[in-house]
Amino acid sequence: MEAAATLPLLLLLLLAAALPAPSHGWGVDGHLMVCQIAQGRLSGAAAAAVRDLLPSYAGNNLSSLCSWADDVKFRYPWSSPLHYIDTPDGLCNYSYDRDCKDEDGVKGRCVAGAINNYTTQLLTYGRSSAPQYNLTQALLFLSHFIGDIHQPLHVGFTSDRGGNTIDVHWYTRKTVLHHVWDANIIQTAEDDFYGDGVADYVDTLTKNITGEWSEQVPSWEECGKNQTACPDIYASESITAACDWAYKGVDQDSTLEDAYFSTRLPVVNLRLAQGGVRLAATLNRIFG
């Protein structure tokens, strides 16, 4: 266990609890679902490593800390650009060399670069009695960022900041398009189909992974060129989904209701499931 990391993490969580809760990535419930799916698919070695790296107060529950990376943005402002990728308006494609940079143009500072970085850090697990990196934080960042990169609007257009400047109404509630994909679609699905709960939602996604999606799952888990993580694939999928589904038919001040919800929910469900499967596959490759 990364004992030295436990106290700082606990203090950061206590400080974060005193602040207004941010809504980023998939939102709390989305990240929770990605991590619950992943933890149920870990190999024995990966499960043992995750248990070893998680702080004791997490109770071996990775999903309880899957939103940690959002909670600590105030403490680690350098981490904010690591949650997303801005792509050129209207191109609907992604290139690491072109797009993975922060607002100052620093290369590698995007969610794909962060996934590569924290994967590299975690590959040092067990190789030294004095770790070079804080591997507890690396695990939490990686788990969160693999969730983020599967949210289509985390790989969105530069001018609207991934839908953050597109004002819409979700039914009668004013929000922004990015938040619709972070949280509103998931929350509406919970309210309509799952009794406002996450457990049954996760159960449905898990059954789909072993059922109707089972033939696709091996391709989700694959990583080309003997790579440990494949964020460029996930980012390319997300910008395609953003163009085909998130942005499509939406203008400034659009009202999004049943037609939008019913056609976009399957996309959200697929991306949540893919995120969970791929997080598990990545951790299994890292830890053996």
Side-chain angles (χ1 to χ4, degrees):
M1 169 61 206
E2 297 277 301
T6 302
L7 182 57
L9 276 171
L10 179 58
L11 291 173
L12 288 170
L13 287 168
L14 291 172
L15 287 169
L19 297 176
S23 180
H24 302 286
W26 281 113
V28 173
D29 284 0
H31 279 292
L32 185 152
M33 287 190 277
V34 167
C35 284
Q36 282 194 358
I37 291 168
Q39 195 159 15
R41 299 178 63 86
L42 295 179
S43 66
V50 168
R51 181 171 58 250
D52 183 38
L53 291 175
L54 282 174
S56 59
Y57 55 82
N60 193 32
N61 180 5
L62 178 60
S63 66
S64 71
L65 291 177
C66 249
S67 292
W68 174 83
D70 279 336
D71 296 335
V72 298
K73 283 182 182 179
F74 75 98
R75 176 66 175 81
Y76 299 142
W78 51 264
S79 71
S80 290
L82 305 183
H83 292 253
Y84 60 87
I85 300 167
D86 286 335
T87 64
D89 293 1
L91 287 188
C92 297
N93 61 53
Y94 157 80
S95 164
Y96 184 92
D97 290 339
R98 182 191 67 201
D99 302 328
C100 190
K101 59 184 183 297
D102 63 18
E103 292 182 351
D104 295 322
V106 179
K107 296 288 187 178
R109 286 183 46 76
C110 79
V111 65
I115 289 170
N116 288 331
N117 175 46
Y118 290 111
T119 296
T120 298
Q121 291 188 21
L122 286 169
L123 284 168
T124 68
Y125 175 77
R127 297 181 182 177
S128 171
S129 58
Q132 178 181 358
Y133 305 106
N134 185 324
L135 297 183
T136 295
Q137 291 191 4
L139 172 66
L140 299 184
F141 275 127
L142 178 67
S143 299
H144 184 91
F145 292 146
I146 287 183
D148 275 351
I149 204 170
H150 281 83
Q151 203 274 62
L153 285 176
H154 271 250
V155 190
F157 297 153
T158 300
S159 64
D160 59 51
R161 304 177 69 85
N164 272 298
T165 66
I166 301 176
D167 294 323
V168 297
H169 279 84
W170 182 248
Y171 294 88
T172 60
R173 184 175 181 179
K174 188 173 182 179
T175 184
V176 295
L177 183 62
H178 189 96
H179 190 267
V180 167
W181 284 78
D182 270 356
N184 292 125
I185 294 174
I186 290 172
Q187 290 168 352
T188 300
E190 289 172 355
D191 292 342
D192 288 358
F193 307 126
Y194 302 107
D196 196 26
V198 174
D200 289 343
Y201 201 158
V202 172
D203 185 56
T204 295
L205 293 177
T206 300
K207 287 178 179 177
N208 287 343
I209 289 167
T210 57
E212 65 174 285
W213 294 329
S214 59
E215 293 184 1
Q216 303 174 48
V217 168
S219 67
W220 298 352
E221 294 176 313
E222 287 178 0
C223 219
K225 300 179 182 178
N226 296 317
Q227 293 174 296
T228 305
C230 295
D232 291 344
I233 293 173
Y234 316 151
S236 294
E237 292 171 349
S238 278
I239 186 58
T240 298
C243 289
D244 290 348
W245 297 104
Y247 286 120
K248 192 171 184 178
V250 179
D251 299 309
Q252 195 70 238
D253 298 319
S254 288
T255 296
L256 308 179
E257 297 182 300
D258 288 347
Y260 192 92
F261 170 66
S262 63
T263 54
R264 274 60 176 184
L265 178 61
V267 180
V268 168
N269 288 344
L270 181 66
R271 296 304 279 166
L272 289 168
Q274 289 176 323
V277 167
R278 285 163 166 170
L279 174 56
T282 302
L283 295 175
N284 289 340
R285 284 190 287 266
I286 290 171
F287 298 120

